[in-house]
Amino acid sequence: MTLAPAHVAGAGMIRFGKYPADVTLERMAVGAARAALADAAADLTRIDALYVGHVFGGPVAGQRIAAQLGLDGRPVSNHENYCASGATALREAWVALAAGLHDVVLVIGVEKMTDRVSGGVRPDPGDLDAAVGYVMAAGHGLSARRYMADHGATREQIAAVAVKNHAHSVHNPFAQYQRPVTLAEVLAARPIAEPLGLLDCSPISDGAAAMVLCSPAGLRRLGLSAPVPRMLGCALVSGGVRPGTGDVNEEDVSRRAAEEAWKLTGIGPEDVDVVEMHDCFTIAEIVRMEGLGLIPRGEGGRWTESGATSLGGRLPVNPSGGLLSRGHPVGATGVAQAVELTWQLRGTAGGRQVEGARTGLAYCKGGTVNGTDGGSVTTLVMAR
């Protein structure tokens, strides 16, 4: 089934980073929302509804944001799917527009992590994995070890993901980190979960991103006309139960998310020009690109090392700098990826522009559930 696309009238975000306590979640969200509204040349009276993705924002965070923004009284929905929360909010907004329920909506992804999260991110305390001490970094360390053993990949090839993404982030004024790192720095960084070190891991971050999405009628309401970037669709799948130990890098959940994306949008992997990938850890970029079918199984390390996934390469991945260097305020990430794709498709991404980009894909994977191959996965497809 193919639904009508959502047109992107406006996109904006604040710089990701670590903010003091007086910079609240609501304040960050309002800043990103105002940037998106200004980009769309839209005032608040044009907005029909608000969709907010967050994880640690507390009860009715979206309504608190709406009150400060001046959208009180409008329909507000809050969406929590861990790292896929922002992308899930985008999906629900797209569905509402396609159904004719609204014509102009505002979507915000936001998170204030620095005063809510310390140390490694864990599953829910009631999950069996958490009970035995599992943390996300440990799982990805296991993934890296298994990948190296199965495919002959080297530690240097995995570390090259961090080198590449930090090189890209130099050109992104909204990135938490805007300096390059060398391969030697990545390899010498403080160990976190063997073989991964500090620079193989995305940071604790604060930030917000926002988009104004419209139906064709909504575009006319705003006085805009096509062509503008379009959100063709967003697939959402959950992890399936896995009997036994299985293959930690099988990524069946990513394969299913890709299949759903192609089915929803009519786009195939051969059409993708740029990818915003959920690189919470260096190895995650590699195995998830392979799971989507965008890189042959076992080749991701070599592709990265060769420059195939760098700007100017065969398939640029994370021109924004990705989670590793743009930062990863979990509820904001999915919307930030869509904002980056919007800029890429407009041709306004500056020094990180992917030349001739016409179609982009953003992938988020949120959370773990014991006995399954993941929590939630979104695959968002956008086009010029």
Side-chain angles (χ1 to χ4, degrees), residues 147-231:
Y147 188 87
M148 292 162 68
D150 288 344
H151 302 296
T154 65
R155 174 69 182 97
E156 288 77 11
Q157 288 172 341
I158 293 171
V161 173
V163 176
K164 167 183 72 73
N165 291 351
H166 277 273
H168 291 172
S169 73
V170 168
H171 306 289
N172 186 356
F174 297 96
Q176 181 167 349
Y177 300 115
Q178 298 177 19
R179 73 170 186 89
V181 299
T182 65
L183 185 63
E185 285 180 283
V186 179
L187 296 176
R190 174 167 59 89
I192 300 296
E194 177 64 29
L196 305 179
L198 184 66
L199 294 177
D200 291 279
C201 310
S202 58
I204 300 296
S205 311
D206 304 327
M211 299 183 77
V212 178
L213 301 180
C214 301
S215 67
L219 278 182
R220 291 192 294 273
R221 184 196 299 179
L222 297 181
L224 301 175
S225 59
V228 297
R230 296 167 297 145
M231 176 179 163

Side-chain angles (χ1 to χ4, degrees), residues 11-16 32 53 83-90 107-111 172 174-176 205-211 275-278 318-323 326-344 352 361-364 380 382:
M13 59 187 291
I14 65 169
R15 182 178 176 180
F16 287 3
C83 304
S85 298
T88 301
L90 283 168
V107 183
I108 302 173
V110 60
E111 207 72 71
N172 186 356
F174 297 96
Q176 181 167 349
S205 311
D206 304 327
M211 299 183 77
V275 178
E276 279 291 301
M277 171 51 65
H278 190 265
N318 285 324
S320 68
L323 283 58
R326 184 192 59 226
H328 185 28
V330 287
T333 288
V335 182
Q337 290 179 327
V339 168
E340 177 66 22
L341 290 183
T342 298
W343 291 334
Q344 290 288 340
R352 63 188 191 282
L361 181 141
Y363 171 109
C364 279
L380 168 68
M382 295 180 62

Side-chain angles (χ1 to χ4, degrees), residues 297-382:
R297 185 85 184 267
E299 293 295 319
R302 286 181 279 275
W303 272 49
T304 307
E305 185 179 47
S306 72
T309 57
S310 297
L311 284 167
R314 179 175 175 181
L315 179 58
V317 180
N318 285 324
S320 68
L323 283 58
L324 288 170
S325 47
R326 184 192 59 226
H328 185 28
V330 287
T333 288
V335 182
Q337 290 179 327
V339 168
E340 177 66 22
L341 290 183
T342 298
W343 291 334
Q344 290 288 340
L345 296 171
R346 287 177 178 172
T348 59
R352 63 188 191 282
Q353 179 66 49
V354 175
E355 186 175 353
R358 301 187 61 84
T359 303
L361 181 141
Y363 171 109
C364 279
K365 185 174 185 178
T368 65
V369 177
N370 177 258
T372 77
D373 57 354
S376 56
V377 171
T378 54
T379 42
L380 168 68
V381 178
M382 295 180 62

Side-chain angles (χ1 to χ4, degrees), residues 35-57:
L37 289 163
D39 187 48
D43 60 51
L44 291 171
T45 64
R46 305 292 187 180
I47 303 300
D48 297 330
L50 174 62
Y51 295 80
V52 180
H54 62 93
V55 180
F56 303 108

